[in-house]
Amino acid sequence: MDPTTLRLIQGAAGAAASSLYVDDVFSTYLFEGSVSPVTITNGLDLSGEGGMIWIKSRTSTASHTTSSSANNYYGLMTPNTDAADADSTTQYVRGTSTGFEVTMGNITPNDAGENMASWSFRKAPGFFTCVQYTGTGSNRTVAHDLASTPGMIFVKCTNTAGTNWLVYHRSLGATKAEILDLTSGPVGPSANYWNNTAPTSTEFTVGVLNDVNTDGDTYVAYLFAHDEPVFGTDEDESIIKCGSFTTNASGTLDAPVDLGFEPQFILTKQPGGQWYIFDIMRGVGATNTGSHTLRPNSTAAEQSRSPGWFAITSTGFDIPVSSLFSGNSTVPYMAIRRPNKPPSDATDVFSPTAYTGNTTARVVGTNLCDFAILSDLDATAPSWSSWAQYIFTRLLGPNVTIATSNLNNEATGWAAGDTQGDYFQFDVNNNKGLVITALSGYMNTIGTNYALYNFTRSPGFMDVVAYTASNQSPQNITHNLNAEPELIIFKTRSNSNPGWVYVKDVGVDKVLQLGADIVPVTSSTWLNNTAPTSSVLTVGSGGYVNYQTWTYIAYLFATLPGISKVSSYSGTAATLNVDCGFSSGARFILIKRTDVIGDWYVYDSARGIVSGNDPYVLLNTDAAQVTNTDYIDPLASGFTVTSSAPVGLNADGGTYIFLAIA
């Protein structure tokens, strides 16, 4: 169906009162099983709009379960078995207007004390739908409301055991099928599966096989769309693709798969082997990072691998190791776009937290953590004198950190022996914040004061991109900020090198050093004298951001009205109000003088931006925080630099760049 007609259908269904984003129709949500019922708030209307909820324990041997609005969420289906519906008269899981409820405690899918993963698919034209039908024993069509030609379909008999989950995938065509609960396949060719008839935007066809069409039996079908560009702010984005890739002789890829978007969820299958689910919440990141998988055909607990089986890129995915797929194999997949709904409030994308170590595990922060900066405010933790502030990044996983102040490449060992993190964990059981574990040292030493800044990747606010250098040949690197980056922090992952910072107001021929107080360094080669755009950033022949085949990570920030501001001001040596367009003041302020040497000052509301003394730390040094100065004051529209501020913040005629977050 053409996108214009599909938008009209979305509007008629009440879905297009405002633009639909992937955030509105899909969620990976992690929770802890309980002896009591559990309510999950993931922002999806799974009662009014309908949908399907898939749950699996990560930590124990237990079945996968699905429940859907096709039968009003009654009963449970188990994708890893050929069993019938567990109990078609009970709502074990039911959709709500903001997520779902697991109505019973301490049973699958709510095993007490277990870490659980859930994937919710809300019904929406161009994304997903589910239907129930009755078999006839002869070839028949089944109507659906996906309003788009399905790229993938799961079909399962609900009332008769011994029937398999048959899977249609567009890469196999209408004469073959995969089997979700088995490692065999694909099976066929045969007309018994889909009657040699490809699905359309209004119906799909089933043959005479008992697994899909026994006379009088009841069936459920889950239908997934493929590449319908009707989502996002301009309603021109596709959020799901069902395709295939072919491995080379080594079982890897000659080039990454280009989806046209960065994925958050990948379902795939080895030819004649296992099924796998990867997602960014449990951990699948950039090249040379770990990944975690659950197998739909198996009761097994979560498996992990480092380097990972899959590597996420800003436009798709790659396969960095050869252990998952055999050589010269054609592999089907389903991929879903990463969250990209613009934030409505700064608290959705940033939270500053001040805390004191006590060797007690806790969740720090109130937003999803994609990028974090940790500061030991007392500068007493092990090795702090050589590292200063630590940077953590979801794309790199919990085992990796990068310093703000030194030349070191990324350091591993933060999760030694524990793939979910020894010192901290990204995969939080509530999808908010960062888990600080009970272990002492670095992040939780008794009596030590810390500040932690949690950032969420979000359009117009900030993004994170991992890339590999191209031997100093200029290259364009795709990003998903959806706005022109005004501040970019580059850091080498694989080799020792300073961190470098591009700031729009300083110029495309200059960079600042993150770990030093020096003035901007001039070179047209580093960024190829090319300003970044809303979709790409350019690195040139300069070695610091594009040397040999080193790996890099880049953190991109932009001005988002009411939420963030990247800009500059001229000092006056008198009280100076900096208007950021905020309504309740700044909660985070980063300032650096650029006309002469100057430190990287950091202030935050958790420690205090008040009419009095305001603590600050310096990103470029390992010094403890300073608490007895009044250089910054609150201002509803931004922040005030006081007349007592030193030349590093407010010299008459001095030039300063800043990042402020409301």
Side-chain angles (χ1 to χ4, degrees):
M1 181 171 293
D2 68 277
T4 300
T5 303
L6 187 49
R7 289 191 193 96
L8 292 174
I9 291 172
Q10 286 181 328
S18 59
S19 298
L20 271 183
Y21 296 86
V22 65
D23 312 54
D24 300 314
V25 297
F26 178 78
S27 168
T28 298
Y29 199 95
L30 310 179
F31 67 95
E32 186 173 345
S34 171
V35 295
S36 303
V38 173
T39 298
I40 302 300
T41 302
N42 59 23
L44 275 58
D45 182 0
L46 295 170
S47 57
E49 298 293 343
M52 182 263 285
I53 303 154
W54 186 335
I55 301 175
K56 172 69 174 81
S57 171
R58 303 175 60 193
T59 47
S60 67
T61 300
S63 284
H64 293 251
T65 64
T66 67
S67 183
S68 77
S69 59
N71 63 342
N72 200 27
Y73 296 106
Y74 280 96
L76 282 179
M77 302 299 295
T78 51
N80 53 281
T81 76
D82 60 5
D85 193 335
D87 181 356
S88 61
T89 64
T90 301
Q91 285 183 317
Y92 292 91
V93 180
R94 61 168 172 255
T96 69
S97 61
T98 57
F100 64 90
E101 296 175 348
V102 187
T103 63
M104 298 183 182
N106 203 24
I107 63 168
T108 301
N110 189 20
D111 304 298
E114 301 293 339
N115 291 328
M116 312 296 293
S118 70
W119 304 281
S120 298
F121 298 77
R122 202 208 85 176
K123 290 179 63 175
F127 175 63
F128 171 81
T129 194
C130 49
V131 297
Q132 192 173 34
Y133 67 93
T134 301
T136 63
S138 59
N139 297 328
R140 62 157 298 182
T141 60
V142 180
H144 67 79
D145 58 354
L146 186 62
S148 173
T149 301
M152 196 170 191
I153 306 172
F154 300 167
V155 176
K156 178 67 176 75
C157 180
T158 63
N159 65 300
T160 301
T163 56
N164 295 118
W165 289 74
L166 249 61
V167 179
Y168 165 85
H169 193 279
R170 56 185 291 273
S171 68
L172 296 176
T175 65
K176 294 183 179 180
E178 291 280 9
I179 301 175
L180 187 62
D181 51 302
L182 299 178
T183 58
S184 58
V187 292
S190 172
N192 292 337
Y193 313 129
W194 320 113
N195 195 31
N196 289 352
T197 305
T200 72
S201 61
T202 59
E203 63 184 24
F204 65 95
T205 303
V206 291
V208 297
L209 189 73
N210 289 344
D211 290 341
V212 294
N213 195 15
T214 296
D215 186 23
D217 277 354
T218 303
Y219 296 83
V220 65
Y222 303 144
L223 291 79
F224 306 88
H226 167 69
D227 201 21
E228 285 288 1
V230 293
F231 296 88
T233 300
D234 298 321
E235 299 181 336
D236 60 356
E237 297 175 352
S238 63
I239 63 172
I240 184 170
K241 288 192 176 181
C242 300
S244 64
F245 57 86
T246 301
T247 60
N248 56 31
S250 299
T252 59
L253 297 177
D254 291 328
V257 172
D258 186 356
L259 298 170
F261 57 74
E262 181 179 324
Q264 63 167 309
F265 173 95
I266 300 169
L267 169 69
T268 189
K269 186 182 188 300
Q270 293 174 324
Q274 305 284 343
W275 289 84
Y276 295 97
I277 293 176
F278 300 91
D279 62 70
I280 61 173
M281 292 303 300
R282 293 180 300 118
V284 53
T287 302
N288 296 329
T289 64
S291 59
H292 303 259
T293 187
L294 287 163
R295 292 177 286 168
N297 57 282
S298 172
T299 62
E302 185 175 274
Q303 296 177 298
S304 63
R305 165 70 189 248
S306 185
W309 288 290
F310 271 78
I312 297 297
T313 72
S314 58
T315 57
F317 59 84
D318 201 356
I319 300 174
V321 294
S322 59
S323 62
L324 190 62
F325 302 109
S326 57
N328 302 314
S329 299
T330 298
V331 182
Y333 67 83
M334 175 175 68
I336 298 175
R337 181 187 286 265
R338 63 167 259 209
N340 69 342
K341 190 173 187 177
S344 58
D345 190 271
T347 57
D348 296 335
V349 294
F350 174 74
S351 61
T353 305
Y355 68 95
T356 301
N358 60 8
T359 64
T360 299
R362 74 193 80 182
V363 176
V364 180
T366 57
N367 60 301
L368 175 67
C369 184
D370 290 322
F371 160 54
I373 300 175
L374 173 73
S375 179
D376 177 344
L377 302 174
D378 304 329
T380 58
S383 301
W384 205 265
S385 61
S386 63
W387 280 82
Q389 285 69 32
Y390 289 83
I391 295 175
F392 307 110
T393 312
R394 179 180 293 273
L395 274 178
L396 303 185
N399 193 42
V400 173
T401 188
I402 301 173
T404 63
S405 66
N406 66 23
L407 309 186
N408 294 5
N409 55 303
E410 66 185 23
T412 59
W414 288 76
D418 178 3
T419 57
Q420 295 184 34
D422 278 340
Y423 291 108
F424 71 97
Q425 299 171 12
F426 282 110
D427 52 345
V428 182
N429 280 327
N430 69 3
N431 285 30
K432 304 288 185 183
L434 194 73
V435 171
I436 306 299
T437 69
L439 293 179
S440 180
Y442 294 100
M443 307 181 77
N444 206 4
T445 300
I446 290 177
T448 298
N449 295 302
Y450 300 92
L452 184 70
Y453 308 120
N454 284 357
F455 301 82
T456 304
R457 302 168 72 190
S458 189
F461 171 61
M462 72 90 57
D463 191 25
V464 181
V465 178
Y467 68 94
T468 301
S470 60
N471 281 313
Q472 296 175 252
S473 297
Q475 64 168 322
N476 290 330
I477 299 163
T478 300
H479 64 80
N480 292 295
L481 185 61
N482 290 354
E484 178 187 344
E486 297 168 278
L487 186 153
I488 306 173
I489 300 171
F490 295 90
K491 197 72 172 72
T492 312
R493 297 177 52 203
S494 56
N495 298 80
S496 297
N497 214 323
W500 296 98
V501 183
Y502 158 81
V503 181
K504 179 180 180 180
D505 282 6
V506 175
V508 296
D509 62 339
K510 298 179 179 66
V511 288
L512 296 160
Q513 188 172 329
L514 181 64
D517 62 0
I518 63 175
V519 296
V521 178
T522 300
S523 174
S524 61
T525 63
W526 290 5
L527 301 178
N528 208 37
N529 212 22
T530 303
T533 72
S534 61
S535 59
V536 299
L537 63 93
T538 302
V539 291
S541 58
Y544 287 110
V545 293
N546 194 26
Y547 188 67
Q548 294 184 358
T549 56
W550 292 4
T551 55
Y552 292 82
I553 191 84
Y555 306 92
L556 292 67
F557 293 87
T559 296
L560 185 59
I563 291 178
S564 60
K565 181 73 172 180
V566 180
S567 191
S568 59
Y569 64 86
S570 296
T572 63
T575 298
L576 174 65
N577 292 331
V578 181
D579 187 348
C580 302
F582 302 159
S583 59
S584 299
R587 293 182 299 138
F588 176 88
I589 306 166
L590 170 66
I591 302 174
K592 167 78 169 75
R593 187 171 184 180
T594 58
D595 59 315
V596 298
I597 63 172
D599 291 306
W600 294 83
Y601 287 81
V602 175
Y603 292 86
D604 66 76
S605 59
R607 292 176 298 140
I609 298 175
V610 297
S611 297
N613 290 342
D614 313 280
Y616 69 82
V617 292
L618 304 175
L619 284 185
N620 56 294
T621 78
D622 56 19
Q625 69 173 339
V626 178
T627 61
N628 61 348
T629 61
D630 182 17
Y631 299 157
I632 297 290
D633 277 345
L635 179 70
S637 63
F639 61 94
T640 295
V641 186
T642 69
S643 58
S644 62
V647 296
L649 293 170
N650 194 11
D652 188 18
T655 302
Y656 303 84
I657 58 95
F658 69 88
L659 164 66
I661 303 173

Short mmCIF file of all heavy atoms in Angstrom, two decimals, residues 38-65:
data_model
loop_
_atom_site.label_atom_id
_atom_site.label_comp_id
_atom_site.label_asym_id
_atom_site.label_seq_id
_atom_site.Cartn_x
_atom_site.Cartn_y
_atom_site.Cartn_z
N VAL A 38 2.67 -7.66 38.60
CA VAL A 38 3.59 -6.59 38.23
C VAL A 38 2.92 -5.71 37.18
O VAL A 38 2.34 -6.23 36.21
CB VAL A 38 4.91 -7.15 37.68
CG1 VAL A 38 5.79 -6.04 37.13
CG2 VAL A 38 5.66 -7.91 38.77
N THR A 39 3.02 -4.40 37.36
CA THR A 39 2.51 -3.45 36.37
C THR A 39 3.69 -2.78 35.68
O THR A 39 4.58 -2.23 36.35
CB THR A 39 1.62 -2.38 37.03
OG1 THR A 39 0.49 -3.02 37.62
CG2 THR A 39 1.14 -1.37 35.99
N ILE A 40 3.71 -2.82 34.35
CA ILE A 40 4.79 -2.25 33.56
C ILE A 40 4.26 -1.03 32.81
O ILE A 40 3.26 -1.12 32.09
CB ILE A 40 5.34 -3.27 32.54
CG1 ILE A 40 5.84 -4.52 33.25
CG2 ILE A 40 6.43 -2.63 31.68
CD1 ILE A 40 6.95 -4.28 34.24
N THR A 41 4.94 0.09 32.97
CA THR A 41 4.59 1.31 32.24
C THR A 41 5.66 1.57 31.20
O THR A 41 6.76 2.03 31.52
CB THR A 41 4.48 2.51 33.20
OG1 THR A 41 3.50 2.24 34.20
CG2 THR A 41 4.09 3.77 32.45
N ASN A 42 5.36 1.23 29.95
CA ASN A 42 6.32 1.45 28.87
C ASN A 42 5.83 2.47 27.85
O ASN A 42 6.47 2.67 26.82
CB ASN A 42 6.66 0.12 28.18
CG ASN A 42 5.45 -0.57 27.58
OD1 ASN A 42 4.43 0.05 27.29
ND2 ASN A 42 5.55 -1.89 27.39
N GLY A 43 4.68 3.10 28.11
CA GLY A 43 4.18 4.16 27.24
C GLY A 43 3.38 3.69 26.05
O GLY A 43 2.96 4.52 25.23
N LEU A 44 3.12 2.40 25.92
CA LEU A 44 2.36 1.86 24.79
C LEU A 44 0.91 1.61 25.19
O LEU A 44 0.66 1.05 26.26
CB LEU A 44 2.98 0.55 24.29
CG LEU A 44 4.13 0.63 23.29
CD1 LEU A 44 5.30 1.43 23.83
CD2 LEU A 44 4.57 -0.76 22.88
N ASP A 45 -0.02 2.00 24.34
CA ASP A 45 -1.44 1.71 24.58
C ASP A 45 -1.74 0.32 24.03
O ASP A 45 -2.08 0.15 22.86
CB ASP A 45 -2.32 2.76 23.90
CG ASP A 45 -3.80 2.54 24.16
OD1 ASP A 45 -4.15 1.57 24.87
OD2 ASP A 45 -4.62 3.34 23.66
N LEU A 46 -1.62 -0.67 24.88
CA LEU A 46 -1.82 -2.05 24.47
C LEU A 46 -3.22 -2.55 24.76
O LEU A 46 -3.57 -3.68 24.40
CB LEU A 46 -0.80 -2.95 25.17
CG LEU A 46 0.66 -2.70 24.79
CD1 LEU A 46 1.60 -3.47 25.70
CD2 LEU A 46 0.92 -3.06 23.33
N SER A 47 -4.05 -1.70 25.37
CA SER A 47 -5.45 -2.08 25.59
C SER A 47 -6.33 -1.44 24.52
O SER A 47 -7.06 -2.14 23.80
CB SER A 47 -5.92 -1.67 26.98
OG SER A 47 -5.76 -0.28 27.20
N GLY A 48 -6.27 -0.12 24.37
CA GLY A 48 -7.09 0.56 23.39
C GLY A 48 -6.73 0.23 21.95
O GLY A 48 -7.59 -0.01 21.11
N GLU A 49 -5.42 0.22 21.68
CA GLU A 49 -4.95 -0.06 20.31
C GLU A 49 -4.73 -1.55 20.09
O GLU A 49 -4.84 -2.03 18.96
CB GLU A 49 -3.65 0.70 20.04
CG GLU A 49 -3.77 2.21 20.10
CD GLU A 49 -4.62 2.77 18.99
OE1 GLU A 49 -4.86 2.08 17.99
OE2 GLU A 49 -5.05 3.94 19.11
N GLY A 50 -4.39 -2.29 21.14
CA GLY A 50 -4.11 -3.71 21.01
C GLY A 50 -2.66 -3.98 20.68
O GLY A 50 -1.89 -3.07 20.35
N GLY A 51 -2.28 -5.25 20.77
CA GLY A 51 -0.92 -5.61 20.46
C GLY A 51 -0.54 -6.97 21.00
O GLY A 51 -1.41 -7.79 21.34
N MET A 52 0.75 -7.22 21.10
CA MET A 52 1.29 -8.50 21.56
C MET A 52 2.41 -8.26 22.55
O MET A 52 3.23 -7.34 22.37
CB MET A 52 1.80 -9.33 20.37
CG MET A 52 2.32 -10.72 20.74
SD MET A 52 4.13 -10.76 20.95
CE MET A 52 4.69 -10.72 19.24
N ILE A 53 2.46 -9.06 23.61
CA ILE A 53 3.47 -8.94 24.66
C ILE A 53 4.24 -10.26 24.74
O ILE A 53 3.65 -11.33 24.90
CB ILE A 53 2.83 -8.63 26.02
CG1 ILE A 53 2.00 -7.35 25.93
CG2 ILE A 53 3.89 -8.50 27.10
CD1 ILE A 53 0.88 -7.27 26.94
N TRP A 54 5.54 -10.18 24.61
CA TRP A 54 6.43 -11.35 24.60
C TRP A 54 7.37 -11.22 25.80
O TRP A 54 8.03 -10.19 25.98
CB TRP A 54 7.22 -11.34 23.29
CG TRP A 54 8.09 -12.53 23.00
CD1 TRP A 54 8.65 -13.40 23.87
CD2 TRP A 54 8.51 -12.95 21.69
NE1 TRP A 54 9.40 -14.35 23.22
CE2 TRP A 54 9.33 -14.09 21.88
CE3 TRP A 54 8.30 -12.48 20.41
CZ2 TRP A 54 9.93 -14.75 20.81
CZ3 TRP A 54 8.89 -13.14 19.34
CH2 TRP A 54 9.69 -14.27 19.54
N ILE A 55 7.45 -12.25 26.65
CA ILE A 55 8.22 -12.19 27.88
C ILE A 55 9.09 -13.44 28.02
O ILE A 55 8.66 -14.54 27.70
CB ILE A 55 7.31 -12.07 29.12
CG1 ILE A 55 6.43 -10.81 29.03
CG2 ILE A 55 8.14 -12.01 30.41
CD1 ILE A 55 5.42 -10.67 30.15
N LYS A 56 10.32 -13.25 28.51
CA LYS A 56 11.24 -14.37 28.76
C LYS A 56 12.15 -14.05 29.95
O LYS A 56 12.64 -12.93 30.07
CB LYS A 56 12.11 -14.63 27.52
CG LYS A 56 13.25 -15.65 27.73
CD LYS A 56 12.73 -17.05 27.94
CE LYS A 56 13.84 -18.10 28.01
NZ LYS A 56 14.48 -18.16 29.35
N SER A 57 12.35 -15.02 30.82
CA SER A 57 13.33 -14.87 31.89
C SER A 57 14.73 -14.85 31.29
O SER A 57 15.08 -15.67 30.45
CB SER A 57 13.21 -16.02 32.89
OG SER A 57 14.29 -15.99 33.80
N ARG A 58 15.53 -13.91 31.76
CA ARG A 58 16.91 -13.81 31.32
C ARG A 58 17.83 -14.72 32.11
O ARG A 58 18.88 -15.14 31.61
CB ARG A 58 17.41 -12.36 31.47
CG ARG A 58 16.59 -11.32 30.74
CD ARG A 58 17.09 -9.92 31.05
NE ARG A 58 18.47 -9.76 30.65
CZ ARG A 58 19.25 -8.74 31.02
NH1 ARG A 58 18.77 -7.82 31.84
NH2 ARG A 58 20.49 -8.66 30.60
N THR A 59 17.45 -15.01 33.33
CA THR A 59 18.38 -15.65 34.26
C THR A 59 18.05 -17.09 34.61
O THR A 59 18.80 -17.74 35.33
CB THR A 59 18.45 -14.83 35.56
OG1 THR A 59 17.13 -14.49 35.99
CG2 THR A 59 19.23 -13.55 35.35
N SER A 60 16.92 -17.60 34.11
CA SER A 60 16.58 -18.98 34.44
C SER A 60 16.10 -19.73 33.20
O SER A 60 15.76 -19.13 32.18
CB SER A 60 15.48 -19.02 35.51
OG SER A 60 14.26 -18.52 34.99
N THR A 61 16.06 -21.04 33.33
CA THR A 61 15.51 -21.90 32.28
C THR A 61 13.99 -21.84 32.36
O THR A 61 13.41 -22.35 33.32
CB THR A 61 16.01 -23.34 32.45
OG1 THR A 61 17.44 -23.35 32.38
CG2 THR A 61 15.44 -24.24 31.38
N ALA A 62 13.37 -21.22 31.40
CA ALA A 62 11.92 -21.05 31.41
C ALA A 62 11.46 -20.75 30.00
O ALA A 62 12.22 -20.27 29.16
CB ALA A 62 11.51 -19.91 32.35
N SER A 63 10.20 -21.04 29.72
CA SER A 63 9.65 -20.82 28.40
C SER A 63 9.48 -19.34 28.08
O SER A 63 9.26 -18.51 28.97
CB SER A 63 8.29 -21.51 28.26
OG SER A 63 8.43 -22.90 28.12
N HIS A 64 9.57 -19.03 26.80
CA HIS A 64 9.08 -17.76 26.30
C HIS A 64 7.55 -17.80 26.37
O HIS A 64 6.94 -18.87 26.23
CB HIS A 64 9.48 -17.56 24.83
CG HIS A 64 10.95 -17.39 24.61
ND1 HIS A 64 11.52 -16.20 24.26
CD2 HIS A 64 11.97 -18.29 24.66
CE1 HIS A 64 12.82 -16.34 24.12
NE2 HIS A 64 13.13 -17.62 24.36
N THR A 65 6.92 -16.64 26.56
CA THR A 65 5.46 -16.58 26.52
C THR A 65 5.02 -15.38 25.70
O THR A 65 5.69 -14.33 25.69
CB THR A 65 4.85 -16.46 27.93
OG1 THR A 65 5.26 -15.22 28.53
CG2 THR A 65 5.25 -17.62 28.82
#
